[in-house]
Each structure stands twice: as structure tokens, then as C-alpha cells.
Amino acid sequence: MSTCTTVSRDLDEPLAGTAATARTWLLLEQPGPWGAKALTSSHLDPALGRALEAAAQDTGVRIALIRRPGRHADCGAHAERQVYAAHTTPGNVWLHSAITCAPERLLDLDFTALGTGDPRTFDAALQGRRHTGDPLALVCTNGKRDRCCALLGRPLAAELAASGVAGAWEVTHLGGHRFSPTLLVLPYGYAYGRAEAHAVKEILQGVREGRVVTEGCRGNSAWERPGQAAELAVRRACGEHAAEALGVVRTDGAAPRWEVTVAHTDGRLWRVIVAQGASLPPRPESCGSALGSPARMDVVAVREMPRATIPVAC
């Protein structure tokens, strides 16, 4: 049986530059079933879900629901829930956690502050603190959005949990169903596609050591898609694996061509030309959808710049 995932894999569709964009992730534990739009179609109060969507709009914060792998029984409205907030911009990466019995308290958060990388509102409203446990491995398993996420994501999440990965969670939506199983790793915010358990464990070990594994990587959610592709291209060109060594400091142009400036913490700069192309031949972006040609980010050139030509960030 052909699925959007098998077609994408067979066509060797590139992964770089396909990650969901979010400077800050806000994750709320919600047991039980999830609908396609989980914030308003789960056992979470839909009015609260709508209010959270409105509060996060245009702030750089992306909200998702999470649950532990396995059976999805709902323990009731008054059960304790895990909450995480993670900021993914290099130079100010953090992951904070909290426990709450009142998910409506999330409306007390200053979403604008969270989006700019300030965790104080999270800590004050939810008695949160810096997360000191294992990195988070978030596997998309929402079959109501695409069957591939359930068919491929749920077994991966279960295998990770059974093998002792304490940070393994199922998550509602990471985008890119055709790259299932899809994975987001926090705190650094790098997303992965076509993930396998042994590779995820290597990725998580890298996170513990402050390293980024580029194999199977879709990009860092802190950047827009051209920046994701450019940063990964620079990593591969110069062999840089330190998680916070690189940042996208400037993006000039517009679709279908951008000039992206990537900076290293040691002062080196690269100018990367990224072109938007169409994935051919046409393929389904999701199971059951019509054939289309998804946009792809193609890196045309990577050129290291003289250190004297430092652009002004915008």
C-alpha cells in the first residue's frame, strides 16, 4: 500500500529546510484522543484551546499537545499535567518545565515575552523551573492529521519509551507528514524526518553533549525555511557540530531566491544562496491529498566571507 511517506522516500525528497517554524515551543500534556486540530478537538476544553491559539498568534510561540507513549486513556480533568516551554534561538536556548492541574493557567503567560526568549512569565505563572532531566524526543503520532504519523510514529515513540528514553513523548503536529516518523528534539529545536530508534538515541546523546546530528535533520525551528537549509549547509561544509555555534543573522531576498548570512560564534561568516524549487514529479503532501509539487529549499552556493564584511542584522 502506497502512502505519502513511501512516495517521498522513494523519490528521495530532501529533508533540509522543512522543519516547522517556532522560536518557542509550549507543550501541554493532554491524555486521550486527539483530533486533526488537537487544541480544539481533544479532551482539552475547546474554548481554552481557541483562547490559547489566539494568545500565541504572531508571537513566535507554537503550542502543541503531548502525551506519554502507549494507551491513551484520559485520567480526568483534574489530573496533573506536564508543561514545557523551550526557546530554540542559539545563544539563548532553554527548556523549562512545570506541573499543573489547571491548564487554563497557561492563559496567564506573556506569550510575546516567551516568543522573545524570556522564561520568567512561565516560571511565575506555573511555578516552573529549568528542566534538568533528559532532552525531549517528541514524535508526531496524530493519525487524524495523517495516517503515516500513527502508523510510523506511534511504534517509534513506543520503542523509545520501552528502551528507557525518559524524554520520549508523543506530540500532536510537527508538519511534513510525508517525512514520518517526524521528530523534534528539545531544547535545541532541531527536527528530523524518517527517524529510526537507533538514530534517535544517537541524536539524543548528541544533545546531551551539546552536539547536532545533521543526518536526517530537517532544520532548526528557530529559523524560517531558507535559514534552516542554509545553516545545515554551513554545518556540513565546515564540519561544525556544536549546537549553538551557528546562527542566521540576516536573510535578504524573497521567494524564489534568498541570500542568507550565517555567523559562527568565533566570528566567521558565510553567505548562502538558497533557491526555492518545486519537488518533481508531483507527489501527495499527505495521504489522501491530491498530487502536488511541494516547495523545496535548494542550496545553490555556500561561500565564506572575509571577517571584515560583517552585515548589520535585520
Side-chain angles (χ1 to χ4, degrees):
M1 178 179 63
S2 179
T3 64
C4 65
T5 298
T6 57
V7 173
S8 176
R9 188 188 295 269
D10 289 347
L11 293 174
D12 197 24
E13 186 175 353
L15 293 168
T18 67
T21 300
R23 294 190 303 272
T24 301
W25 291 83
L26 180 62
L27 308 170
L28 171 64
E29 184 178 4
Q30 176 57 59
W34 297 332
K37 296 184 177 179
L39 280 179
T40 55
S41 55
S42 68
H43 288 181
L44 183 71
D45 180 355
L48 173 58
R50 286 190 293 271
L52 288 170
E53 286 178 335
Q57 188 172 359
D58 299 325
T59 63
V61 178
R62 185 178 176 118
I63 306 173
L65 302 182
I66 58 174
R67 63 192 178 197
R68 285 297 188 183
R71 294 175 61 88
H72 299 144
D74 191 341
C75 299
H78 302 291
E80 289 186 337
R81 302 163 187 253
Q82 182 70 57
V83 188
Y84 295 105
H87 190 66
T88 62
T89 303
N92 186 31
V93 169
W94 49 260
L95 173 60
H96 286 220
S97 64
I99 299 290
T100 186
C101 293
E104 63 272 13
R105 292 296 304 276
L106 271 66
L107 292 175
D108 295 334
L109 299 175
D110 183 336
F111 282 83
T112 299
L114 278 179
T116 59
D118 184 349
R120 289 176 294 181
T121 176
F122 180 87
D123 293 347
L126 300 171
Q127 288 74 57
R129 62 187 63 186
R130 185 172 292 275
H131 177 68
T132 58
D134 288 343
L136 304 187
L138 306 164
V139 182
C140 183
T141 62
N142 192 349
K144 290 298 177 66
R145 293 196 70 97
D146 191 281
R147 62 181 177 177
C148 286
C149 296
L151 291 173
L152 300 174
R154 289 191 64 187
L156 174 62
E159 183 177 354
L160 292 174
S163 64
V165 177
W169 291 88
E170 298 185 10
V171 67
T172 46
H173 185 47
L174 298 176
H177 316 297
R178 63 193 184 279
F179 304 125
S180 296
T182 58
L183 173 81
L184 176 73
V185 179
L186 295 174
Y188 294 122
Y190 284 87
Y192 293 83
R194 305 176 187 135
E196 298 180 358
H198 67 89
V200 174
K201 292 176 182 178
E202 180 183 346
I203 291 165
L204 293 174
Q205 183 58 35
V207 172
R208 295 184 190 97
E209 298 171 359
R211 294 185 294 107
V212 174
V213 173
T214 58
E215 184 69 27
C217 191
R218 301 174 62 193
N220 187 331
S221 73
W223 317 125
E224 298 293 335
R225 292 186 62 186
Q228 294 172 12
E231 189 243 21
L232 286 176
V234 171
R235 284 192 178 279
R236 289 165 180 149
C238 68
E240 180 57 74
H241 298 287
E244 295 189 75
L246 297 176
V248 174
V249 297
R250 186 182 179 99
T251 301
D252 295 306
R257 191 177 179 89
W258 298 266
E259 187 174 278
V260 182
T261 303
V262 177
H264 195 289
T265 51
D266 67 9
R268 285 179 291 166
L269 293 166
W270 290 264
R271 184 163 290 155
V272 184
I273 305 300
V274 181
Q276 179 175 300
S279 298
L280 296 173
R283 78 286 313 274
E285 292 193 49
S286 296
C287 289
S289 69
L291 297 182
S293 298
R296 52 184 284 172
M297 298 291 116
D298 294 320
V299 173
V300 176
V302 178
R303 181 169 63 89
E304 188 169 355
M305 301 162 58
R307 298 197 184 203
T309 58
I310 299 175
V312 177
C314 62

